[in-house]
Amino acid sequence: DSGVTQTPKHLITATGQRVTLRCSPRSGDLSVYWYQQSLDQGLQFLIQYYNGEERAKGNILERFSAQQFPDLHSELNLSSLELGDSALYFCASSVGQTNTEAFFGQGTRLTVV
Amino acid sequence: DAKTTQPPSMDCAEGRAANLPCNHSTISGNEYVYWYRQIHSQGPQYIIHGLKNNETNEMASLIITEDRKSSTLILPHATLRDTAVYYCIVRPYSGGYQKVTFGTGTKLQVIP
């Protein structure tokens, strides 16, 4: 158990819909990262938050957005869903920005039908 | 940021040492080498990291060449539970993970 909690574990929804994925980082971790992993692909960095502020953006679509709340949990919002958005979505957290390892949650498997 | 190159797959007999290579020829002086693994579709798990000295922990050993252009992750006695995709990444000391590229890694199959 990494200490990072993601909910829900599985999500099935229809095209055009909107979903919210939730991530609770390890206690004390200020950085939260979101990644997308499509079938047999590597992890694609989407976005990072640090202590409530957006710190970096990767290849995140405009239909996707995220935020980190004062209690440091984070949510990834995916809207106008398309079949190609079906993937595993992982959240990771780390203490800060320097030489620390990241701890990953178990992911949310999103299936768009 | 440096990128890494890993073989797409490897096999290892159970109980033998698994040696997973990684090439990072463009690594900068302030970049560390990290290894993670992903078992089936679970979240990646941190294994070990190092700068230039060899490192060992309860999971594995990391050997970094003197010129730091490549490294090898060693699982000393592979078990079936070590079957996973292993990712080698590099990241700067003072940077986060936002610029890290997790490629497709090496799929290690441990054979009974």
Side-chain angles (χ1 to χ4, degrees):
Chain A
D1 182 6
S2 67
V4 178
T5 304
Q6 288 187 248
T7 57
K9 287 188 171 56
H10 302 277
L11 197 50
I12 302 175
T13 190
T15 54
Q17 295 299 304
R18 171 190 170 95
V19 297
T20 297
L21 312 184
R22 181 187 171 101
C23 170
S24 295
R26 287 190 327 151
S27 177
D29 284 0
L30 300 178
S31 264
V32 170
Y33 302 83
W34 285 97
Y35 292 86
Q36 180 192 55
Q37 186 175 37
S38 301
L39 188 63
D40 294 330
Q41 298 294 310
L43 289 148
Q44 299 294 319
F45 169 70
L46 295 178
I47 197 165
Q48 179 209 0
Y49 278 81
Y50 178 78
N51 202 20
E53 301 283 331
E54 180 185 302
R55 185 57 63 96
K57 266 187 174 179
N59 297 322
I60 187 167
L61 299 172
E62 286 195 11
R63 301 184 284 108
F64 296 0
S65 64
Q67 54 184 328
Q68 185 178 30
F69 295 87
D71 66 353
L72 300 178
H73 91 271
S74 178
E75 293 180 356
L76 179 67
N77 300 297
L78 314 176
S79 61
S80 302
L81 285 167
E82 302 174 358
L83 296 177
D85 297 326
S86 295
L88 276 165
Y89 291 84
F90 289 104
C91 161
S93 73
S94 66
V95 170
Q97 290 278 82
T98 56
N99 186 26
T100 58
E101 59 266 38
F103 294 85
F104 285 78
Q106 290 305 298
T108 292
R109 182 178 293 279
L110 173 67
T111 303
V112 182
V113 297
Chain B
D1 297 308
K3 298 293 187 291
T4 61
T5 304
Q6 299 176 252
S9 64
M10 291 181 64
D11 290 340
C12 177
E14 189 178 17
R16 305 297 292 267
N19 298 290
L20 292 91
C22 179
N23 180 287
H24 32 78
S25 58
T26 58
I27 193 170
S28 301
N30 68 338
E31 289 182 316
Y32 281 70
V33 179
Y34 279 73
W35 283 83
Y36 285 79
R37 73 180 182 184
Q38 186 174 23
I39 296 173
H40 199 230
S41 295
Q42 299 177 21
Q45 176 191 25
Y46 165 80
I47 301 172
I48 198 168
H49 74 279
L51 181 63
K52 56 184 178 181
N53 297 319
N54 298 338
E55 303 287 344
T56 296
N57 63 20
E58 65 279 4
M59 289 183 69
S61 295
L62 174 60
I63 308 297
I64 302 175
T65 58
E66 193 167 342
D67 63 7
R68 303 208 323 120
K69 293 184 177 182
S70 65
S71 61
T72 301
L73 178 75
I74 301 172
L75 308 178
H77 304 288
T79 71
L80 298 179
R81 288 177 296 179
D82 293 321
T83 292
V85 176
Y86 287 77
Y87 298 99
C88 166
I89 64 171
V90 294
R91 55 164 290 210
Y93 175 86
S94 59
Y97 282 78
Q98 57 270 32
K99 293 184 179 179
V100 170
T101 301
F102 283 83
T104 49
T106 296
K107 188 169 186 176
L108 176 68
Q109 182 72 46
V110 179
I111 303 168

